[in-house]
Amino acid sequence: MTHTPRILVKGAGVAGMTAAVTLAERGGVVTLYEPGGRVGAGASWMAGGMLAPWCEAESAPPEVTAQSVDSVDWWEAHVPNVVRAGSLVLAPPRDSGEIARFGRRTTHFETVDGAEIARLEPDLAGRFHKGLFFADEGHVDPRKALVALLARLESLGGKAVFSAVDAPDDAAFDWIVDCTGLNVRQELPTLRGVRGEMLLLRCPDVVLHRPVRMLHPRIPIYIVPRADHVFMVGATMIESENAGGMTVRSMTELLNAAWVLHPGFAEAEILEMGTGLRPSYPDNMPCVVREGNHVFVNGMYRHGFLLSPARAREAADMIFGNSVGKMLGN
């Protein structure tokens, strides 16, 4: 009789939740452990939730796109309310050259004029004259998605432990899958933190149907619509390990980008502001490595929701014997 592996997944961010669900779907007996008290206690709670493999090619290696083209399908099969309306890339008139630069580095888009922008996003009519539309992309509300994955895990017989004091005993499990980000820097010393910043705004005066990336030579910013007239405004990446609160400069840049997109954001209510450090390897590629019966899924950088399904499959292949994987230290 084949032994059913008992698997402990540490960390309930996007890497941990996708790994836990994938392992349970493959037949593992999965226990999820998160000392933070809930799903998404780390950087994943601050994510934009953009499922944009083609847009990411602008600054990411080709492997990111190649390994994530099916991510929208994976999320749609596992959580409700995945929106498949594409992505729109725009720039203020003074930075219109950034549109051409972005287009040279990406594929699977169509160049759109002012009339087409207005058709896609009526509230932006007359405000922009040129953009790029990536029709095959999507987005998801990260917080709702993580909660939905927890429900999926429990429906498969998985168990979740949310406690800072009642940690499961590693010795009780056949495999340990560690998805705890920067908490394992001692084991994964090449990890670094990359700062992310976000605002949540409520603005009944503006309607958007898809994420909009506002290009700027110094700091690209994205605006992602969520339910009930809520919008997430975030900065793509900041090379800093400062985990402190948001600065006046950062808040001004995020709010200004929203206002440039549509002046209605001037009356928006600020619901939340947040910062977080995303775990990242030197090449900014998420990686799965193994040391004995410990598997580390880490370094998600800004690709957590985009690449976590592929990394979860990779971890499952290691555990269920379809891959020898990369060994720690190699």
Side-chain angles (χ1 to χ4, degrees):
M1 180 179 295
T2 302
H3 173 65
T4 300
R6 296 162 299 170
I7 307 167
L8 175 63
V9 177
K10 296 182 178 181
V14 66
M17 293 309 306
T18 53
V21 167
T22 300
L23 291 164
E25 289 176 339
R26 295 277 282 267
V29 178
V30 177
T31 296
L32 174 74
Y33 173 58
E34 170 55 67
R38 59 171 173 80
V39 295
S44 297
W45 205 248
M46 306 295 175
M50 294 180 294
L51 306 174
W54 309 111
C55 276
E56 285 303 307
E58 181 266 340
S59 58
E63 292 81 3
V64 170
T65 295
Q67 295 171 16
S68 63
V69 291
D70 63 347
S71 62
V72 183
D73 292 336
W74 191 94
W75 284 104
E76 189 169 51
H78 287 83
V79 305
N81 303 317
V82 174
V83 180
R84 306 187 72 141
S87 303
L88 188 59
V89 177
L90 301 172
R94 67 177 183 277
D95 297 320
S96 59
E98 291 295 303
I99 295 287
R101 182 196 60 79
F102 198 99
R104 288 193 297 269
R105 298 184 178 185
T106 54
T107 60
H108 290 71
F109 66 84
E110 61 176 305
T111 302
V112 290
D113 60 14
E116 184 64 10
I117 293 169
R119 187 190 71 80
L120 292 167
E121 297 290 357
D123 278 14
L124 302 184
R127 301 195 54 76
F128 299 91
H129 304 295
K130 183 179 181 181
L132 307 176
F133 177 50
F134 294 78
D136 297 327
E137 299 186 334
H139 68 283
V140 65
D141 184 324
R143 300 177 181 185
K144 293 180 179 179
L146 292 175
V147 172
L149 287 184
L150 177 60
R152 171 64 176 162
L153 174 64
E154 292 173 339
S155 75
L156 293 166
K159 174 185 176 183
V161 178
F162 296 101
S163 171
V165 294
D166 297 323
D169 182 3
D170 288 7
F173 298 89
D174 301 304
W175 292 89
I176 314 299
V177 180
D178 194 298
C179 308
T180 57
L182 294 172
N183 292 321
V184 290
R185 278 177 126 172
Q186 184 172 348
E187 293 86 352
L188 304 174
T190 61
L191 282 176
R192 78 188 195 286
V194 176
R195 181 178 171 94
E197 301 176 330
M198 57 79 75
L199 295 173
L200 282 184
L201 309 177
R202 178 178 287 120
C203 186
D205 297 331
V206 179
V207 174
L208 295 177
H209 301 90
R210 54 190 54 80
V212 176
R213 297 189 183 219
M214 288 285 289
L215 302 184
H216 184 280
R218 195 181 72 81
I219 178 169
I221 289 172
Y222 49 84
I223 298 96
V224 185
R226 296 185 180 172
D228 302 320
H229 299 283
V230 172
F231 299 84
M232 188 272 200
V233 185
T236 302
M237 55 183 176
I238 302 171
E239 283 293 339
S240 170
E241 294 207 2
N242 176 13
M246 187 176 296
T247 65
V248 171
R249 177 178 180 175
S250 293
M251 178 176 284
T252 300
E253 288 177 334
L254 294 177
L255 293 174
N256 184 63
W259 182 85
V260 169
L261 183 68
H262 193 288
F265 279 110
E267 302 301 322
E269 175 188 1
I270 299 175
L271 300 177
E272 184 179 328
M273 65 183 75
T275 63
L277 292 181
R278 306 164 184 170
S280 309
Y281 285 111
D283 63 357
N284 296 330
M285 278 296 293
C287 188
V288 180
V289 296
R290 175 183 168 189
E291 182 178 27
N293 69 337
H294 281 66
V295 176
F296 296 87
V297 183
N298 214 312
M300 286 297 167
Y301 187 50
R302 71 185 196 197
H303 307 310
F305 279 80
L306 193 59
L307 279 181
S308 56
R311 290 299 176 264
R313 287 192 295 267
E314 188 177 345
D317 287 344
M318 285 186 188
I319 289 172
F320 288 93
N322 297 327
S323 171
V324 296
K326 179 179 178 180
M327 300 301 291
L328 190 63
N330 289 357

